[in-house]
Amino acid sequence: MTGPTILPLAGTLVAGGIGTLLFAAGLAKLRDHDGFLTTLAAYRLVPAALLESTAWALAGAETAMGATLLAGLAPLTAGLGAALLFVLFALAMAINLLRGRTDLSCGCLPGMAAARLSWGAVARSALLAPASLLPALTGQPASLLLRYQALAAGACLLALAIALSHLISATPAPEEHSA
């Protein structure tokens, strides 16, 4: 594999991971609209009159950006939209952490309702913002088969990262033994 082939492959791999992340998170928020609405309200950043429309807009945007990245359509628009969402999420979490509100759910992924706000979650969202632009900067592999394989590999890497995160958080801390 030559240098010019590796960059589009890397960008498509990232598009697969980030696209899957956004698509899954957006669909989960659309399916459990009331739960997402509760999480959004708890952040205390959106006026009550705008909560409902904001919840639908955020979940719809997440789903749309994820689907667009996965489809390989309009990579610059999808990348910019995804980056904007990640910056917005990072800012919302950071504002609440600065307020001392660490008891809130980060609202990041389905099945992770117990995940609380942390500076690690802020950093993760902040790092995903520029990564979202990589597919637009690198282009896509010329081979359609290679493109779909890279997207699938990116989705698999995301699944492995989430599984590893669950394993790490479920591992009990070593007990201290007294002599």
Short mmCIF file of all heavy atoms in Angstrom, two decimals, residues 39-47 91-104 117 119 122:
data_model
loop_
_atom_site.label_atom_id
_atom_site.label_comp_id
_atom_site.label_asym_id
_atom_site.label_seq_id
_atom_site.Cartn_x
_atom_site.Cartn_y
_atom_site.Cartn_z
N THR A 39 -32.34 14.43 30.27
CA THR A 39 -30.90 14.69 30.35
C THR A 39 -30.59 16.11 29.89
O THR A 39 -29.83 16.84 30.54
CB THR A 39 -30.10 13.68 29.49
OG1 THR A 39 -30.37 12.36 29.97
CG2 THR A 39 -28.61 13.95 29.54
N LEU A 40 -31.18 16.52 28.79
CA LEU A 40 -30.96 17.86 28.26
C LEU A 40 -31.43 18.93 29.24
O LEU A 40 -30.73 19.92 29.47
CB LEU A 40 -31.67 18.02 26.91
CG LEU A 40 -31.44 19.31 26.15
CD1 LEU A 40 -29.97 19.48 25.80
CD2 LEU A 40 -32.29 19.33 24.89
N ALA A 41 -32.58 18.72 29.85
CA ALA A 41 -33.11 19.68 30.82
C ALA A 41 -32.19 19.79 32.04
O ALA A 41 -32.01 20.87 32.60
CB ALA A 41 -34.52 19.28 31.25
N ALA A 42 -31.61 18.66 32.44
CA ALA A 42 -30.73 18.65 33.62
C ALA A 42 -29.48 19.50 33.41
O ALA A 42 -28.90 19.99 34.38
CB ALA A 42 -30.34 17.21 33.97
N TYR A 43 -29.07 19.69 32.19
CA TYR A 43 -27.89 20.52 31.91
C TYR A 43 -28.14 22.01 32.17
O TYR A 43 -27.21 22.79 32.32
CB TYR A 43 -27.44 20.31 30.46
CG TYR A 43 -26.48 19.17 30.27
CD1 TYR A 43 -26.88 17.85 30.49
CD2 TYR A 43 -25.18 19.40 29.86
CE1 TYR A 43 -26.00 16.81 30.30
CE2 TYR A 43 -24.29 18.35 29.67
CZ TYR A 43 -24.71 17.05 29.91
OH TYR A 43 -23.83 16.01 29.73
N ARG A 44 -29.40 22.40 32.19
CA ARG A 44 -29.81 23.79 32.47
C ARG A 44 -29.12 24.81 31.55
O ARG A 44 -28.66 25.85 32.00
CB ARG A 44 -29.54 24.15 33.93
CG ARG A 44 -30.32 23.32 34.92
CD ARG A 44 -30.08 23.80 36.32
NE ARG A 44 -30.55 22.82 37.27
CZ ARG A 44 -30.13 22.75 38.51
NH1 ARG A 44 -29.23 23.60 38.96
NH2 ARG A 44 -30.62 21.84 39.32
N LEU A 45 -29.09 24.49 30.27
CA LEU A 45 -28.48 25.39 29.31
C LEU A 45 -29.47 25.89 28.26
O LEU A 45 -29.18 26.85 27.55
CB LEU A 45 -27.32 24.68 28.59
CG LEU A 45 -26.13 24.29 29.46
CD1 LEU A 45 -25.15 23.43 28.68
CD2 LEU A 45 -25.45 25.53 29.99
N VAL A 46 -30.61 25.23 28.17
CA VAL A 46 -31.62 25.56 27.16
C VAL A 46 -32.88 26.03 27.88
O VAL A 46 -33.34 25.37 28.82
CB VAL A 46 -31.94 24.32 26.29
CG1 VAL A 46 -33.01 24.64 25.26
CG2 VAL A 46 -30.68 23.82 25.61
N PRO A 47 -33.45 27.18 27.47
CA PRO A 47 -34.71 27.63 28.08
C PRO A 47 -35.80 26.56 27.94
O PRO A 47 -35.86 25.85 26.93
CB PRO A 47 -35.08 28.89 27.30
CG PRO A 47 -33.82 29.30 26.60
CD PRO A 47 -32.99 28.07 26.42
N LEU A 91 -18.54 21.79 25.24
CA LEU A 91 -18.84 23.04 25.95
C LEU A 91 -19.95 22.84 26.99
O LEU A 91 -19.84 23.34 28.11
CB LEU A 91 -19.25 24.13 24.96
CG LEU A 91 -18.13 24.76 24.15
CD1 LEU A 91 -18.70 25.70 23.09
CD2 LEU A 91 -17.18 25.51 25.07
N ALA A 92 -20.99 22.12 26.62
CA ALA A 92 -22.09 21.88 27.56
C ALA A 92 -21.60 21.12 28.79
O ALA A 92 -21.96 21.45 29.93
CB ALA A 92 -23.22 21.11 26.86
N MET A 93 -20.77 20.11 28.57
CA MET A 93 -20.23 19.35 29.70
C MET A 93 -19.28 20.21 30.53
O MET A 93 -19.35 20.20 31.77
CB MET A 93 -19.51 18.09 29.20
CG MET A 93 -20.45 17.03 28.66
SD MET A 93 -19.63 15.48 28.22
CE MET A 93 -18.93 15.89 26.63
N ALA A 94 -18.42 20.98 29.88
CA ALA A 94 -17.46 21.81 30.60
C ALA A 94 -18.17 22.87 31.45
O ALA A 94 -17.78 23.11 32.60
CB ALA A 94 -16.49 22.47 29.62
N ILE A 95 -19.19 23.49 30.91
CA ILE A 95 -19.95 24.50 31.66
C ILE A 95 -20.52 23.88 32.93
O ILE A 95 -20.43 24.46 34.02
CB ILE A 95 -21.07 25.12 30.79
CG1 ILE A 95 -20.45 26.04 29.73
CG2 ILE A 95 -22.08 25.87 31.65
CD1 ILE A 95 -21.42 26.48 28.65
N ASN A 96 -21.09 22.70 32.81
CA ASN A 96 -21.67 22.06 33.99
C ASN A 96 -20.61 21.59 34.97
O ASN A 96 -20.80 21.64 36.18
CB ASN A 96 -22.62 20.93 33.58
CG ASN A 96 -24.00 21.47 33.27
OD1 ASN A 96 -24.75 21.79 34.18
ND2 ASN A 96 -24.31 21.62 32.01
N LEU A 97 -19.46 21.14 34.48
CA LEU A 97 -18.37 20.76 35.39
C LEU A 97 -17.86 21.99 36.14
O LEU A 97 -17.59 21.91 37.35
CB LEU A 97 -17.23 20.10 34.62
CG LEU A 97 -17.49 18.66 34.19
CD1 LEU A 97 -16.42 18.19 33.22
CD2 LEU A 97 -17.55 17.74 35.40
N LEU A 98 -17.76 23.11 35.45
CA LEU A 98 -17.32 24.35 36.11
C LEU A 98 -18.34 24.83 37.13
O LEU A 98 -17.98 25.50 38.10
CB LEU A 98 -17.05 25.44 35.07
CG LEU A 98 -15.81 25.19 34.19
CD1 LEU A 98 -15.76 26.21 33.05
CD2 LEU A 98 -14.54 25.24 35.03
N ARG A 99 -19.58 24.47 36.94
CA ARG A 99 -20.64 24.77 37.92
C ARG A 99 -20.61 23.79 39.09
O ARG A 99 -21.38 23.92 40.03
CB ARG A 99 -22.02 24.67 37.26
CG ARG A 99 -22.34 25.73 36.25
CD ARG A 99 -23.69 25.40 35.61
NE ARG A 99 -24.12 26.42 34.70
CZ ARG A 99 -25.17 26.30 33.88
NH1 ARG A 99 -25.88 25.17 33.88
NH2 ARG A 99 -25.51 27.27 33.07
N GLY A 100 -19.76 22.77 39.00
CA GLY A 100 -19.67 21.76 40.05
C GLY A 100 -20.71 20.67 39.93
O GLY A 100 -20.93 19.91 40.87
N ARG A 101 -21.32 20.55 38.78
CA ARG A 101 -22.40 19.58 38.58
C ARG A 101 -21.87 18.31 37.92
O ARG A 101 -22.06 18.07 36.74
CB ARG A 101 -23.49 20.22 37.73
CG ARG A 101 -24.00 21.51 38.39
CD ARG A 101 -25.16 22.16 37.70
NE ARG A 101 -26.33 21.31 37.93
CZ ARG A 101 -27.13 20.92 36.95
NH1 ARG A 101 -26.92 21.26 35.71
NH2 ARG A 101 -28.18 20.17 37.23
N THR A 102 -21.22 17.48 38.71
CA THR A 102 -20.62 16.24 38.19
C THR A 102 -21.58 15.06 38.26
O THR A 102 -21.25 13.97 37.79
CB THR A 102 -19.35 15.89 38.98
OG1 THR A 102 -19.69 15.73 40.35
CG2 THR A 102 -18.29 16.97 38.82
N ASP A 103 -22.75 15.26 38.84
CA ASP A 103 -23.70 14.17 39.02
C ASP A 103 -24.57 13.91 37.80
O ASP A 103 -25.40 13.01 37.80
CB ASP A 103 -24.59 14.46 40.23
CG ASP A 103 -25.36 15.76 40.08
OD1 ASP A 103 -24.82 16.71 39.46
OD2 ASP A 103 -26.50 15.85 40.57
N LEU A 104 -24.38 14.67 36.74
CA LEU A 104 -25.21 14.53 35.54
C LEU A 104 -24.70 13.41 34.64
O LEU A 104 -23.50 13.15 34.57
CB LEU A 104 -25.20 15.83 34.73
CG LEU A 104 -25.75 17.07 35.42
CD1 LEU A 104 -25.57 18.28 34.51
CD2 LEU A 104 -27.20 16.89 35.77
N LEU A 117 -20.55 13.13 34.02
CA LEU A 117 -19.70 14.17 33.46
C LEU A 117 -18.32 14.09 34.06
O LEU A 117 -18.16 13.85 35.26
CB LEU A 117 -20.28 15.56 33.77
CG LEU A 117 -21.58 15.95 33.11
CD1 LEU A 117 -21.89 17.41 33.40
CD2 LEU A 117 -21.55 15.71 31.63
N TRP A 119 -13.96 15.51 33.10
CA TRP A 119 -13.07 16.21 32.18
C TRP A 119 -12.59 15.27 31.09
O TRP A 119 -12.28 15.71 29.99
CB TRP A 119 -11.93 16.88 32.93
CG TRP A 119 -12.42 18.06 33.72
CD1 TRP A 119 -12.54 18.15 35.08
CD2 TRP A 119 -12.92 19.29 33.19
NE1 TRP A 119 -13.08 19.37 35.42
CE2 TRP A 119 -13.32 20.09 34.28
CE3 TRP A 119 -13.08 19.79 31.90
CZ2 TRP A 119 -13.85 21.36 34.13
CZ3 TRP A 119 -13.61 21.07 31.75
CH2 TRP A 119 -13.99 21.84 32.85
N VAL A 122 -15.14 15.51 28.41
CA VAL A 122 -14.96 16.78 27.69
C VAL A 122 -13.80 16.64 26.70
O VAL A 122 -13.91 17.03 25.54
CB VAL A 122 -14.69 17.95 28.68
CG1 VAL A 122 -14.33 19.22 27.94
CG2 VAL A 122 -15.91 18.18 29.57
#
